[in-house]
Amino acid sequence: SSAASDVYKRQFMGGCRNTMLKFPPLKPHKPIGNVFVYSQKNSFGSIVYKMANKDGKYVGLMETLPTIVNNKRQSYSPNATSYPSLLIQKLSVGPKRQGFGSAFINIAKKDSFKHFCNGNIHLVASDMYDGLHPPQVFYRKLGFQFNKSSGFTERKVDEFIAGKIPESDLYGLGDTYMFFEHNVDKDGKMVESMKKFKEKFPEIFEWL
């Protein structure tokens, strides 16, 4: 019935919202004013998002790609050797600390479900463009995890977030594999279920 369908859809969306963060963020998302986000696919299959503020000024860009992570060396999650995940290839905002980056991450979380990546996200955080303010801190505050080989970086970043060391001690972190895990779906049942759900309620995936 229509009523039953509405209940099922509400439960599905509530589940997405409530379980997306396996590890709660250390810092809540910062509310931002009106922004406009435009997206399109490029010739390589990546989805490019451009964000503008209410005055029409460009404030940021994010590029993502739904992938299957070849994870035999456990560069990302330690819980699977291969799993679906949304790769953030690029994320750039300016000015910083205005909530634009967090808004892009929220978009990535929704897109990860929309493209059958089960809420998983992965990326390489690099301080190449801003060694004084390494992005590893930003991602860590939003619930991203470090891989098993990044113990030193994880410890330094967590100490900075806890106020135990100055940000200058983070200089030279380099590149770090980081991931946001929701469900690695070893048996593929979640992807199969999501595809069936999309066939039944395609309008939800248009809304995501």
Side-chain angles (χ1 to χ4, degrees):
S1 68
S2 176
S5 296
D6 289 342
V7 170
Y8 184 48
K9 284 187 281 186
R10 285 197 299 271
Q11 289 176 340
F12 171 79
M13 295 310 300
C16 289
R17 286 192 296 269
N18 295 333
T19 62
M20 235 180 270
L21 278 178
K22 185 174 181 180
F23 297 92
L26 300 177
K27 186 177 181 181
H29 295 319
K30 185 177 180 181
I32 61 176
N34 294 327
V35 293
F36 302 92
V37 180
Y38 306 88
S39 67
Q40 63 181 32
K41 269 191 176 182
N42 64 19
S43 57
F44 300 101
S46 299
I47 304 168
V48 180
Y49 293 90
K50 294 183 179 180
M51 182 180 291
N53 64 16
K54 60 183 180 181
D55 299 320
K57 183 179 179 181
Y58 168 82
V59 295
L61 175 145
M62 179 176 69
E63 190 171 318
T64 68
L65 181 68
T67 64
I68 299 295
V69 176
N70 184 353
N71 197 45
K72 290 182 179 179
R73 297 183 179 180
Q74 295 190 337
S75 298
Y76 295 102
S77 170
N79 298 315
T81 56
S82 177
Y83 67 96
S85 181
L86 185 76
L87 170 63
I88 295 182
Q89 299 170 297
K90 183 177 182 180
L91 198 163
S92 175
V93 299
K96 294 184 177 181
R97 297 176 176 81
Q98 301 296 313
F100 303 131
S102 298
F104 272 133
I105 295 299
N106 282 334
I107 291 171
K109 290 175 186 176
K110 291 180 180 180
D111 257 18
S112 182
F113 282 101
K114 183 176 181 179
H115 297 288
F116 307 112
C117 293
N118 303 340
N120 303 313
I121 305 171
H122 68 291
L123 53 88
V124 178
S126 175
D127 66 353
M128 180 185 297
Y129 302 105
D130 192 351
L132 297 177
H133 307 289
Q136 288 89 337
V137 174
F138 165 77
Y139 292 115
R140 184 61 163 170
K141 287 181 177 180
L142 295 181
F144 281 75
Q145 301 175 66
F146 295 91
N147 73 1
K148 66 174 185 177
S149 301
S150 302
F152 173 79
T153 299
E154 179 177 2
R155 184 170 65 255
K156 297 289 277 188
V157 169
D158 286 350
E159 286 177 351
F160 167 70
I161 292 173
K164 296 180 180 179
I165 61 173
E167 192 170 25
S168 57
D169 282 8
L170 300 180
Y171 185 80
L173 290 182
D175 295 346
T176 307
Y177 292 90
M178 301 186 73
F179 64 97
F180 185 97
E181 180 184 336
H182 175 255
N183 187 334
V184 294
D185 193 30
K186 289 182 180 180
D187 55 12
K189 289 183 178 179
M190 184 171 180
V191 169
E192 182 181 350
S193 176
M194 291 282 284
K195 288 182 177 179
K196 289 181 179 179
F197 187 88
K198 182 177 181 180
E199 291 177 2
K200 194 169 185 179
F201 304 111
E203 69 277 7
I204 287 182
F205 283 78
E206 291 301 319
W207 175 81
L208 279 174

